[in-house]
Amino acid sequence: LRHLFAVSRRDLFKLLGAGLVVGFTTRSFAAQESGRSRFQDVPEDLASWLHIAGNGKVTVFTGKVEIGQNIRTSLTQQVAEELRTAPGSITLVMGDTEMTPFDMGTFGSRSTPQMGTELRHAAATAREMLLEMAARRWHAEPGKLTAQNGKVTDSQTGQSISYGELTSGQKLVKVIGENPALMPPSQWKIAGKAMPKVNGRDFVTGAHQYPSDIKRPGMLFGKVLRPTAFNARLVSFDANGADKVPGVKLVRDGDFIGVAAADTQAAEHALSLIKAKWEAPKQLSEPELFEYFRKHPEAGRSGGFRGRRNHESGSVQTAMGSAAKTLSQTYTVAYIQHAPLEPRAAVAEWKGGKLTVWTGTQRPFAVKEQLAEAFHLSSDKVRVIMPDVGSGYGGKHTGECAVEAARLAKAAGKPVKLVWTREEEFTWAYFRPAGVIDVNSGIAADGTLVAWEFHNYNSGPAGMETPYNVANQRIDFHPVQDPPLRQGSYRGLAATANFFVRESHMDELAHLAGMDPLQFRLKNLTDPRLRAAFETVARRFGWGKRTPPKGHGFGIAGGFEKGSYVATAAEIAVDRKTGQVKIVRVVEAFDCGAVVNPEGLRNQISGAIVQGIGGAMFEAIHFENGQVTNPHFRDYRLPRFRDLPRIEVELIDRKEIAPMGAGETPLLGLAPAVGNAIFSATGLRLRSLPLAPHPLTLKS
């Protein structure tokens, strides 16, 4: 694989040799992802998805990337299943803009349902062609031959031939048909089973090269001078001898100032010599945030969000007027950081007028476009390579680090590596949006939900829709004009905020109606898959079968998003003397259709729960007048080993339903379940995330 990444696509098939090539002709299905793009049609020279070499080795090409979600493994399983060959014979080339078909990016839980399906089609098409090739060779009927274990066999004559023998010495191209025969999930033998992580040993032993590990001959190390605050303007600049330090290249381009040196220490020293004066306008501070959101709505694009997602049916006003009981509450959600283990990193190299960048990004082709625009290059002069990266969580969609590294490399005339510090990552990367959300609701005397009004300011529209039955509803997303911090995608998008608010409010309504929180939900819910998720988690948790011990509380929450269904039950313990909250146990039921890799899915769900603990309990970015005031791990509270509860995962494996993504939805039920459990234990209703950044103040 390392050798493959060293060549261009033009030379790729020279390296791979003759064999079977499976690809699409030019199609406008947006090259692995639907949506707007100038790259919407795939050129034929980028059309190959799968290659079977004479030695039986299979190379698969996808613009999706591996960021820790283990999609390299599950995609390999799906290809192996349809091709009827061993997973070990398959190599995936991922996220290289010169070797793979265009892809909009790895986000939105789309890799399994969309990319998995495309690669299954490619593999099934290859299998059908191999059967046809063997049938012609043996003068047999294709329907009487079988493909299995990397070879084609004629059961009547007993003869068999390997895929490599069939393709050896031939240059064959097959165009993927519209509906190749796919193996039903109920008959899967490779997919649907646990499989060790592809290249797992390299990650355990440290052999894997992350973006921050990449080395190039003659490489220098870069550092960038950052402004003193957001929106600052450079007023004056004095190199102060930084440009005289031996081996240091000083780069000044407008407000961009950086250095490149033989090692990081030399670069840091040179940067420390520079005297720069910045001027920043007065800016919004944290205490004013939620009031600002209410007063500055913008009917259009704002803060990275496009448009609105509004819905109205029936008459909320009329239903509220006739409801037996009504409830109006406001909830808030803080800005939080993605906090990836590996900060942004890039290595840039200019050679022969062409720019190559190795960087950690969820959108290699978008970064390629960003680089081409920044340096006024044609698309064929830019290549982005994405080694499997140390996590992203939606935070690595953009290529600012790649552009900075390329600026330094161009000026220095040598490759340059730039790795952001933790403080840079916490300050200059974008954040999960904060938000304020208002809910007005009404119920009938028997607990039937009759009115639902939901207004989200700033945090985003994902997951706003309610899964519960309510005839009269109004749901509005209100983008905000010029939010104070840079904001963008985060794992689950705004569904984290919207699930927290909806499921907290449903819990409040249940208590208002005098009903058990689970029974209240089931009374107002007909979706059979979500009902099944709630019933499954309740059974595993023991909901209704036992009462919480003294000082403990139980909470439940659920919903659906990105085609998957989740229900989460949590048990918490509160020390009434200190006010400290401890999550004791979390049980989660999850339904994403047919499960491709059950062990990988369990790991994904468990990891989402752990990450969700941070946002639920204590994660928050603090800021004042254009400056982040907690830009280090020592100040920014993340989950620690002592915070981890007992985690139990119950998979609902629906073989009759196509597999969907599981990267985001498992995170969404944790915060509301914990908040509801805190109320169960203390009677204290917390309506802001994070729930318990400080010990609770409890009545004696």
Side-chain angles (χ1 to χ4, degrees):
L1 181 61
R2 198 169 294 160
H3 187 36
L4 288 180
F5 274 122
V7 302
S8 68
R9 185 172 186 85
R10 182 182 58 199
D11 299 323
L12 178 61
F13 290 106
K14 293 180 183 179
L15 173 67
L16 294 174
L20 175 62
V21 177
V22 178
F24 293 106
T25 54
T26 302
R27 302 202 333 179
S28 59
F29 75 111
Q32 307 191 24
E33 201 75 70
S34 61
R36 329 169 309 288
S37 177
R38 69 184 66 181
F39 298 101
Q40 192 163 2
D41 291 327
V42 191
E44 288 191 38
D45 64 334
L46 291 180
S48 300
W49 294 67
L50 183 149
H51 178 272
I52 302 175
N55 60 4
K57 297 295 184 181
V58 180
T59 306
V60 178
F61 305 93
T62 171
K64 295 296 181 195
V65 297
E66 173 63 57
I67 48 177
Q69 80 279 39
N70 206 23
I71 199 67
R72 185 182 290 278
T73 302
S74 56
L75 289 178
T76 296
Q77 286 180 270
Q78 292 178 81
V79 171
E81 183 67 57
E82 299 299 341
L83 196 53
R84 316 286 201 272
T85 193
S89 68
I90 298 170
T91 296
L92 258 68
V93 176
M94 306 180 74
D96 184 330
T97 62
E98 200 157 282
M99 295 173 65
T100 66
F102 170 79
D103 189 282
M104 286 184 69
T106 304
F107 53 81
S109 296
R110 297 298 303 153
S111 294
T112 293
Q114 186 266 332
M115 183 48 52
T117 301
E118 297 294 351
L119 293 183
R120 287 175 67 197
H121 282 186
T125 299
R127 184 191 70 238
E128 290 175 354
M129 187 173 186
L130 290 164
L131 290 169
E132 293 168 0
M133 291 168 65
R136 287 195 299 270
R137 178 178 290 218
W138 294 332
H139 304 289
E141 294 183 25
K144 295 184 178 180
L145 306 181
T146 58
Q148 197 67 41
N149 299 322
K151 60 185 179 181
V152 177
T153 301
D154 187 330
S155 58
Q156 293 183 334
T157 65
Q159 60 186 336
S160 64
I161 185 171
S162 70
Y163 293 169
E165 290 176 277
L166 277 171
T167 63
S168 182
Q170 304 179 67
K171 187 175 181 180
L172 303 163
V173 178
K174 174 72 173 179
V175 176
I176 297 175
E178 290 296 325
N179 294 296
L182 301 180
M183 179 70 80
S186 59
Q187 299 177 31
W188 281 349
K189 294 181 174 61
I190 299 173
K193 306 290 190 299
M195 175 177 148
K197 179 179 177 66
V198 172
N199 299 336
R201 181 175 293 274
D202 287 349
F203 288 88
V204 172
T205 62
H208 174 69
Q209 297 286 293
Y210 289 94
S212 51
D213 297 320
I214 297 296
K215 296 179 181 178
R216 300 298 296 168
M219 185 177 75
L220 303 178
F221 295 82
K223 285 289 176 181
V224 175
L225 185 68
R226 302 296 177 187
T228 54
F230 298 131
N231 304 308
R233 179 177 62 87
L234 184 63
V235 176
S236 65
F237 166 79
D238 181 359
N240 194 36
D243 53 342
K244 301 296 192 296
V245 178
V248 169
K249 176 65 179 179
L250 174 65
V251 181
R252 167 83 190 279
D253 182 6
D255 283 3
F256 175 82
I257 302 167
V259 297
D263 55 58
T264 303
Q265 292 74 23
E268 288 175 342
H269 171 65
L271 202 70
S272 70
L273 296 176
I274 297 171
K275 293 183 178 179
K277 183 178 179 182
W278 302 88
E279 185 179 85
K282 181 174 174 56
Q283 297 173 64
L284 191 71
S285 295
E286 188 178 2
E288 310 158 284
L289 180 64
F290 300 124
E291 182 181 0
Y292 176 86
F293 284 166
R294 288 186 185 283
K295 291 183 177 179
H296 295 81
E298 179 177 282
R301 182 181 177 185
S302 178
F305 299 111
R306 292 178 183 271
R308 300 162 64 89
R309 183 181 298 175
N310 298 337
H311 167 75
E312 187 170 5
S313 61
S315 172
V316 170
Q317 184 176 0
T318 300
M320 290 285 283
S322 61
K325 295 180 179 180
T326 62
L327 182 65
S328 297
Q329 298 291 5
T330 293
Y331 307 79
T332 62
V333 179
Y335 281 110
I336 68 174
Q337 231 284 337
H338 298 83
L341 189 60
E342 181 183 34
R344 279 160 174 71
V347 174
E349 181 177 71
W350 293 82
K351 186 179 292 185
K354 182 172 181 177
L355 172 62
T356 301
V357 177
W358 293 258
T359 190
T361 175
Q362 295 172 240
R363 303 185 66 202
F365 285 89
V367 173
K368 173 180 176 174
E369 185 175 358
Q370 192 174 346
L371 289 163
E373 291 178 354
F375 296 99
H376 308 290
L377 297 171
S378 60
S379 181
D380 63 323
K381 297 296 184 183
V382 181
R383 179 184 184 184
V384 173
I385 302 171
M386 212 303 260
D388 293 1
V389 74
S391 69
Y393 311 123
K396 292 180 178 175
H397 285 195
T398 52
E400 51 273 87
C401 185
V403 174
E404 290 169 349
R407 277 182 167 183
L408 295 173
K410 187 174 185 180
K414 293 182 179 181
V416 170
K417 176 189 287 188
L418 178 64
V419 180
W420 281 19
T421 64
R422 184 59 56 185
E423 184 171 348
E424 287 176 305
E425 183 73 29
F426 267 69
T427 303
W428 301 104
Y430 55 84
F431 306 96
R432 186 192 75 181
V436 57
I437 301 172
D438 298 325
V439 185
N440 303 306
S441 61
I443 54 175
D446 65 351
T448 300
L449 192 60
V450 296
W452 184 262
E453 186 173 19
F454 192 100
H455 293 271
N456 178 311
Y457 294 85
N458 190 67
S459 65
M464 281 204 314
E465 298 84 354
T466 177
Y468 300 103
N469 303 329
V470 53
N472 306 288
Q473 56 180 282
R474 179 180 177 184
I475 298 173
D476 284 355
F477 166 53
H478 306 276
V480 170
Q481 179 182 0
D482 299 324
L485 299 186
R486 186 182 177 206
Q487 56 190 41
S489 295
Y490 184 94
R491 189 177 189 180
L493 300 173
T496 305
N498 291 322
F499 266 57
F500 165 69
V501 171
R502 185 191 67 238
E503 290 300 292
S504 296
H505 197 84
M506 288 294 290
D507 208 70
E508 294 195 59
L509 284 173
H511 290 286
L512 185 65
M515 296 179 65
D516 172 81
L518 173 62
Q519 294 307 315
F520 177 74
R521 285 171 170 82
L522 294 177
K523 178 180 179 62
N524 290 285
L525 182 65
T526 54
D527 186 313
R529 292 176 68 182
L530 187 52
R531 287 183 65 92
F534 272 122
E535 290 163 351
T536 299
V537 81
R539 185 166 53 251
R540 177 73 178 263
F541 186 81
W543 188 274
K545 303 297 183 183
R546 61 190 182 99
T547 57
K550 185 177 181 180
H552 288 229
F554 297 161
I556 198 166
F560 68 86
E561 177 70 359
K562 305 289 172 58
S564 296
Y565 293 75
V566 64
T568 307
E571 177 180 354
I572 64 97
V574 180
D575 186 321
R576 296 200 69 89
K577 291 183 179 180
T578 65
Q580 295 288 344
V581 179
K582 167 71 176 175
I583 305 175
V584 176
R585 182 184 178 213
V586 175
V587 179
E588 186 154 296
F590 192 72
D591 169 7
C592 59
V595 176
V596 177
N597 185 331
E599 191 61 27
L601 178 57
R602 288 180 187 277
N603 291 338
Q604 182 82 297
I605 294 169
S606 298
I609 290 169
V610 172
Q611 184 174 10
I613 290 171
M617 296 294 289
F618 26 67
E619 284 190 57
I621 283 290
H622 303 304
F623 60 99
E624 184 177 354
N625 193 27
Q627 295 180 321
V628 172
T629 59
N630 59 335
H632 307 98
F633 277 147
R634 68 173 179 265
D635 306 313
Y636 185 86
R637 178 81 156 84
L638 288 170
R640 298 165 184 163
F641 283 109
R642 67 172 181 264
D643 299 313
L644 299 189
R646 175 182 166 190
I647 296 174
E648 302 168 41
V649 175
E650 192 78 18
L651 301 182
I652 303 174
D653 190 358
R654 297 188 181 275
K655 298 295 188 186
E656 74 281 8
I657 298 174
M660 299 299 291
E664 300 171 277
T665 308
L667 181 123
L668 305 178
L670 190 279
V674 169
N676 295 339
I678 291 173
F679 177 81
S680 167
T682 66
L684 183 63
R685 178 63 67 181
L686 304 177
R687 300 186 181 92
S688 295
L689 291 182
L691 294 162
H694 309 291
L696 302 181
T697 301
L698 302 172
K699 296 179 181 178
S700 57

